[in-house]
DNA sequence: CCAGCGGATGTTTACGTAAACATTACGAGC
DNA sequence: GCTCGTAATGTTTACGTAAACATCCGCTGG
């Protein structure tokens, strides 16, 4: 900066003013400084800036691997949204979702140049962490439920699951089976609860719950079992990947979709429209979740608020070929 | 730091020594300092550290969206590998792959606290950028070909494509059609070139090339056209998503896979094993690509080398149910 | 018994920037 | 013509850390 100032024949403070776009600098001086900056290839030192300003203009994102479609979409939205606000995004990967790894990420976070953290993770891992988040670091949690302790932005899991069940009941199915996600997952739990509530609310006794682990493979295994229940005409899978495995199992066992069995998923992956048959599913607006995370955390940084609350992002039913009226209804109707 | 020093009854320099794990501090003193740090909730200011040290211990990753499976896997490997080396990873998203956006990312990069950059992007966007990368920032390019100008880590696209074609020829197919990626993509171009070379090398005249845009939807559209060519018994799709669309189109047109048509993909998505039928494909080791990017860039940072070169990561053929011998060969054999 | 040595710790300084304050220059108003 | 106000620019300082150098202390060996 001093070099630039010397070359332009001004003081370093004037260079700083130009560099930050402050007013009170003659157009002529500004041009001279800019020319000097270009000539010397000057780039402001962000470390010194951060030191002086007391903030890094950087957001940390803690997420357990980038393995799921939803997390990635959310992360992407966070990154672009943060860039628009002049913030950078630093990744804090957690290789495996164990307590040790989470603790490690938290302690690394302590040394990291971030003003705030967005956590995309099952909240129980956060709760059980023995290493606490550094004080003065704002937190927003995506995709979880802890509105009383943290600021949360989440998809309306319950609403989406309810819509899925209702869609199938409206088509004339007597009941809806549920292929749930793993027990440890709150998202899975909430979708399962909403499924159960929607059924009992409609006066239907829920059939036994079938569990997978989000993977297509687990959906396939569950599908092989479900194919044997010939009274099962409608299945709500807790995500699209399990639905994919389910479709394959049903096909192998000669159960036609949607003629014999209707299948609905949850997520709306880009590929879901190309499944065999194209999958009816609940669309999640991950981009909106990411955007809201950034908005809300920047508000928190500016205002230093400590209020918590939950923002719900609505889902949308996407109707495709994998759901239809049950054979009985068609024959009878 | 001064507070910690005062509480522990030592100088700030001793605190610094403890904080950085330097030798020359009595165990007793060390414990006292640690206790004081805990009590005051001290966390080192990374801005001041970076300012003093002259390096940020941070890697920037420029990538055009997080839309493709490969980029995401690579990014994930970069993040974990960087963490292992004590480096943080900052994301530089490019919303749309236009020159303007890339230029914007580059100029933002100038103000960013990074020591080096890993570019996961088509190289021609880098070449055509009007804003040059800041001097002193090391660069490694993933998934592209510019070994003469940059350090490159890439999957062995040509080798994988060759293996795909040979696999189908070995099964007895007369020729292999190719569903290529978009024209602008070097990866697509290299796979297409290798496909053509493998065929001509085997004395077979390549059929006309069919083009998609990587999406399942484009694979579906291409598949509808291919289904009409009844002499087409084997298709090599340039990625698994297009292969998925292709499978659906063939199914709709009554062409059985693999009985009538064999299909092989490229990527090995987690879902590909659950396609109908499970997809034979070329597995890419994205994790290895990411790991090598980090290794090589850290070497460059340490040594300040300017040498360029390309590191190729091998692929692996994963045989599943979507490929088999052509009907003619089975009848004849 | 004291010089000399080495390990433990303290003091000074500089990293690059921007806020706060100081200075200069110039024109308007009396 | 002199003062005052304002816009433009310069000077000083502090942000938190760690390298470089300085100091202190106890012990060893002649």
């Amino acid at each position: 900066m001093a070099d630039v100032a010397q070359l332009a024949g001004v003081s370093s403070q004037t260079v700083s003013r130009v560099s930050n776009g402050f007013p009170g600098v003659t157009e002529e001086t500004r041009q001279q400084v800019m020319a000097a900056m270009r000539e010397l290839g000057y780039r402001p030192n962000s470390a010194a800036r951060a030191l002086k300003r007391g903030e890094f203009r950087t957001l940390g994102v803690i997420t357990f691997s980038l393995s799921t479609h939803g997390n990635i979409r959310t992360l992407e939205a966070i990154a672009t949204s943060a860039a628009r606000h002049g913030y950078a995004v630093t990744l804090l990967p957690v290789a495996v979702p164990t307590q040790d790894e989470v603790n490690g990420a938290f302690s690394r976070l302590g040394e990291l140049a971030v003003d705030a953290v967005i956590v995309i993770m099952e909240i129980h891992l956060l709760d059980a962490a023995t290493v606490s988040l550094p004080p003065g670091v704002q937190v927003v949690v995506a995709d979880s439920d802890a509105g009383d302790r943290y600021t949360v932005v989440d998809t309306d899991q319950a609403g989406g699951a309810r819509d899925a069940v209702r869609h199938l009941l409206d088509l004339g199915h007597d009941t809806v089976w549920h292929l749930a996600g793993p027990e440890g997952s709150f998202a899975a739990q909430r979708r399962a609860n909403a499924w159960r509530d929607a059924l009992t609310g409609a006066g239907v006794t829920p059939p036994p719950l079938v569990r997978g682990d989000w993977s297509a493979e687990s959906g396939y295994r569950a599908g092989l079992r479900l194919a044997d229940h010939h009274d099962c005409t409608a299945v709500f899978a807790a995500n699209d990947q399990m639905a994919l495995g389910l479709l394959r199992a049903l096909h192998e066992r000669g159960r036609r979709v949607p003629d014999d069995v209707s299948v609905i998923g949850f997520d709306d992956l880009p590929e879901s429209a190309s499944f065999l048959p194209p999958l009816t599913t609940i669309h999640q607006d991950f981009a909106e979740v990411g955007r809201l995370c950034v908005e809300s955390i920047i508000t928190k940084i500016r205002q230093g608020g400590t209020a918590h609350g939950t923002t719900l992002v609505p889902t949308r039913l996407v109707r495709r070929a994998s759901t239809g009226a049950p054979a009985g209804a068609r024959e009878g109707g």
Side-chain angles (χ1 to χ4, degrees), chain A residues 10 33 40 43-44 47 59 72 77 83 94 98 108 116 141 148 152 157-158 162 169 187 231 256-257:
Chain A
V10 298
V33 172
L40 295 174
R43 71 184 261 235
L59 266 31
I72 290 158
V94 174
T98 63
R108 252 177 294 145
V141 178
D148 50 335
V152 172
Q157 313 274 356
R162 207 183 317 121
L169 292 181
D231 55 333
R256 291 162 305 161
V257 176

Side-chain angles (χ1 to χ4, degrees), chain A residues 49-128:
Chain A
R49 260 191 188 176
L51 176 58
K52 189 70 190 140
R53 290 200 289 225
E55 58 169 23
F56 303 102
R57 300 273 168 89
T58 297
L59 266 31
V61 177
I62 298 189
T63 173
F64 156 49
S65 99
L66 273 33
S67 56
T68 73
H69 172 74
N71 286 2
I72 290 158
R73 282 279 83 75
T74 305
L75 173 62
E76 185 178 9
I78 287 171
T80 50
S81 192
R84 207 169 12 248
H85 285 86
Y87 275 74
V89 169
T90 289
L91 232 46
L92 278 162
V94 174
V96 284
T98 63
Q99 204 56 59
D100 274 2
E101 280 280 329
V102 174
N103 288 346
F106 278 15
S107 53
R108 252 177 294 145
L109 176 67
E111 310 205 343
L112 227 50
V114 296
D115 302 311
V117 184
I118 297 173
V119 179
I120 314 179
M121 201 187 293
E122 296 294 339
I123 196 69
H124 62 90
L125 283 171
L126 230 185
D127 286 338

Side-chain angles (χ1 to χ4, degrees), chain A residues 234-251:
Chain A
V235 183
F236 163 40
N239 77 346
D240 283 5
Q241 292 189 32
M242 291 196 296
L244 173 65
L246 181 60
L247 290 178
R248 180 156 79 94
L250 292 172
H251 176 86

Side-chain angles (χ1 to χ4, degrees), chain A residues 188-222:
Chain A
Q189 201 170 303
R190 269 173 302 167
R191 289 172 202 178
N193 288 343
W195 158 76
R196 192 174 290 112
D197 292 349
L199 284 183
T200 49
V204 177
T205 308
L209 182 138
V210 184
R211 223 176 255 291
D213 62 7
W214 295 134
S215 74
E217 181 57 29
S218 75
Y220 174 73
R221 287 193 303 267

Side-chain angles (χ1 to χ4, degrees), chain A residues 177 222-232 249-250 253 255:
Chain A
W177 292 60
L224 291 179
R225 294 201 301 277
L226 281 173
D228 295 336
H229 290 271
H230 276 254
D231 55 333
C232 165
L250 292 172
R253 289 299 165 96
R255 306 270 289 159

Side-chain angles (χ1 to χ4, degrees), chain A residues 22-39:
Chain A
F22 278 123
V25 179
T26 317
E27 184 55 30
E28 189 189 336
T29 314
R30 229 175 61 80
Q31 291 301 338
Q32 274 179 349
V33 172
M34 300 272 268
M37 295 202 301
R38 261 195 304 279
E39 187 173 335

